[in-house]
Amino acid sequence: MAKNRGQLSELREGKELPEITKTVTQRNINLYAEASRDFNPVHIDEEFAKKTTLGGTIAHGMLILAYVSEMMTAAFGKMWLTGGRLDVRFKAPARPGETITVSGKITKLEKNNGQTTINCAVLCSNGKGEQVITGEGILTTPEL
Amino acid sequence: MSETYSQLEAGYEFPPGSYMLDVSRVSLFLAAVEDKSYPYLENRLIPPMAVAALAMATLSNTISLPPGSIHVSQELSFVAAVSLDDSLTSYAKISRAQKRGKLHLISVDLNVRNQNQQTVLTGKTSFILPQPDGEQ
């Protein structure tokens, strides 16, 4: 999409970001628990989680948020790693077996004081069309 | 020892957490999230969300989130690239602690710095926590 600064001029408000689709598995959740050292049983212990109001294990919210960061990296490349910002709300849990679609759209593109700021509305939704994460991804990068 | 979350107040600073992310942990993270958007390891870079995940671990080492806790919102700013050789330290401070009826709302400011004391990531995380048993 715009993986280097030279391609920023191709961007415009309303442009959609490349969509990502992921199926959440218990294996992914277990791996994430190890990687993040977050072993809360609601994520990894099915028997425990069944007894809670959740009714079963759920993915870490940060695991699903990583999908959003992946979409932003796919769209903006290395610029995202040093100038990216996420501001999101977790609306619903993601469960093993669910397919999560991550989408985004440029809502504002501004050049000011030698910097380009790109605001994107971001959304993760499940197969039922329910919102899992909503919010904004913002890239600030020096203008060419 | 874990703190009792309901006793934490605004201004409380969590014990800083120091860590390095090596190839095996980054590989584990990339396998968990199945991220192929960027050749992180080839460039000896760490995905910023892997840094964020371990910043959150700084909290869970201290605070026990009870069942029924809800991760409500998350802000993250990726300020500087993090390399495999970097030594990171996470700092976390409660910026808001409110009791609303039977629920506690806690917001925590996060800051991760590298070995040069350069901030590489900042953020804010908010949780809603249920009232502990026996507390009025």
Side-chain angles (χ1 to χ4, degrees):
Chain A
M1 191 173 173
K3 296 196 176 184
N4 59 60
R5 288 178 197 162
Q7 295 171 314
L8 284 177
S9 58
E10 298 168 10
L11 301 179
R12 56 178 168 71
E13 290 176 8
K15 190 171 178 70
E16 294 190 357
L17 307 186
E19 199 171 270
I20 286 178
T21 301
K22 303 261 193 180
T23 299
V24 179
T25 68
Q26 188 60 52
R27 179 177 176 276
N28 293 132
I29 296 171
N30 294 346
L31 287 171
Y32 190 86
E34 281 187 57
S36 66
R37 301 173 189 162
D38 181 348
F39 299 103
N40 188 323
V42 298
H43 302 304
I44 56 172
D45 185 339
E46 181 64 22
E47 290 308 309
F48 175 90
K50 267 184 188 168
K51 293 173 191 162
T52 69
T53 52
L54 296 166
T57 55
I58 59 168
H60 305 72
M62 294 288 281
L63 190 165
I64 308 303
L65 186 55
Y67 299 164
V68 178
S69 187
E70 179 181 341
M71 176 184 69
M72 298 299 284
T73 308
F76 300 112
K78 194 177 177 183
M79 291 182 288
W80 176 251
L81 309 183
T82 54
R85 189 153 70 87
L86 291 166
D87 185 356
V88 302
R89 295 188 73 80
F90 298 101
K91 309 286 278 190
R95 300 172 186 279
E98 285 186 344
T99 297
I100 302 295
T101 301
V102 189
S103 58
K105 183 192 275 190
I106 297 174
T107 55
K108 192 170 156 191
L109 200 156
E110 206 169 41
K111 294 180 181 181
N112 201 4
N113 292 330
Q115 290 207 310
T116 299
T117 303
I118 302 165
N119 293 60
C120 304
V122 298
L123 169 68
C124 295
S125 54
N126 64 21
K128 297 174 196 163
E130 296 166 334
Q131 295 181 341
V132 174
I133 291 176
T134 63
E136 201 171 28
I138 303 136
L139 172 69
T140 304
T141 190
E143 193 181 338
L144 272 185
Chain B
M1 180 191 287
S2 287
E3 300 281 346
T4 304
Y5 67 88
S6 60
Q7 295 172 343
L8 300 180
E9 295 180 349
Y12 174 83
E13 293 185 23
F14 291 80
S18 297
Y19 49 89
M20 284 183 81
L21 287 152
D22 58 15
V23 171
S24 63
R25 189 162 290 275
V26 173
S27 299
L28 195 59
F29 175 86
L30 291 171
V33 302
E34 298 180 349
D35 184 350
K36 297 181 177 68
S37 63
Y38 187 81
Y40 290 102
L41 290 175
E42 289 87 333
N43 289 287
R44 298 191 58 75
L45 288 175
I46 295 173
M49 288 301 294
V51 177
L54 285 177
M56 297 290 285
T58 303
L59 307 185
S60 56
N61 288 340
T62 304
I63 186 171
S64 297
L65 292 175
S69 303
I70 301 168
H71 191 176
V72 189
S73 63
Q74 184 71 52
E75 297 173 29
L76 290 169
S77 292
F78 309 139
V79 180
V82 180
S83 301
L84 281 169
D85 303 323
D86 287 343
S87 297
L88 302 175
T89 305
S90 287
Y91 301 87
K93 182 178 181 179
I94 294 185
S95 55
R96 186 164 66 144
Q98 279 185 326
K99 193 174 176 186
R100 281 189 197 161
K102 292 187 172 183
L103 299 174
H104 289 260
L105 175 66
I106 288 185
S107 296
V108 183
D109 288 341
L110 303 168
N111 186 297
V112 181
R113 294 179 210 158
N114 64 16
Q115 65 278 5
N116 301 318
Q117 293 303 308
Q118 178 189 18
T119 295
V120 297
L121 181 144
T122 62
K124 182 190 286 282
T125 187
S126 296
F127 292 93
I128 289 177
L129 308 163
Q131 181 173 265
D133 292 340
E135 189 175 294
Q136 296 297 313

